Amino acid sequence: ILTNGDFENGSDSWLIGVDDNSSAPVVTDAGNTYYSVNVTAAGNPYDVNTSQKVEIIQGNTYTLTFDAWSDVNRPIIAGIGLSKDPWSNSTETVDITPTRTTYTITLSAADFGATDARVIFDLGAAVGMVNLDDVSLSSN
């Protein structure tokens, strides 16, 4: 359902928060482009995040798959949710490590849906580098 999940088109379709005029930070290393941010101060999980707006249909179940790694062991929050009040969401905390790993989580949109909902990665609750790549979302 997502576009540019591999970040090979830079930050295209990826936002900081829900600001349509922002661009998520990406880097290219050894020919691979991916999302990368260094969280230098821990705070609210949503203080540092990236998202992509996408239609989420209420009542559907979704599978979110992504690669993530860090320079330390740290948690991130990944999921789906609304891009405006009441910010309803379905998320899961995932512990990432310095080893690039593929994570797959199943999420339910039982109580929300919108044409401008989003995939969410909330990263601000812990310090350390967060790298994301090969993000995909499918409806089950």
Side-chain angles (χ1 to χ4, degrees), residues 78-106:
I80 55 175
L82 298 181
S83 59
K84 56 184 171 257
D85 196 34
W87 305 102
S88 303
N89 63 74
S90 175
T91 60
E92 192 171 302
T93 299
V94 177
D95 292 317
I96 66 172
T97 71
T99 302
R100 181 175 173 151
T101 304
T102 301
Y103 300 90
T104 301
I105 57 177
T106 302

Side-chain angles (χ1 to χ4, degrees), residues 4-81:
N4 193 34
D6 61 5
F7 297 94
E8 292 305 310
N9 289 325
S11 58
D12 183 45
S13 300
W14 291 96
L15 309 173
I16 296 172
V18 294
D19 180 357
D20 290 329
N21 297 311
S22 68
S23 296
V26 297
V27 298
T28 302
D29 181 34
N32 180 43
T33 303
Y34 55 90
Y35 172 90
S36 184
V37 67
N38 187 22
V39 181
T40 57
N44 296 310
Y46 53 80
D47 286 345
V48 178
N49 77 36
T50 190
S51 63
Q52 183 176 133
K53 291 187 179 173
V54 63
E55 182 176 18
I56 299 293
I57 299 168
Q58 184 169 342
N60 283 8
T61 300
Y62 292 85
T63 299
L64 177 61
T65 303
F66 59 94
D67 287 359
W69 66 103
S70 180
D71 56 346
V72 295
N73 293 339
R74 56 153 296 157
I76 65 171
I77 298 171
I80 55 175

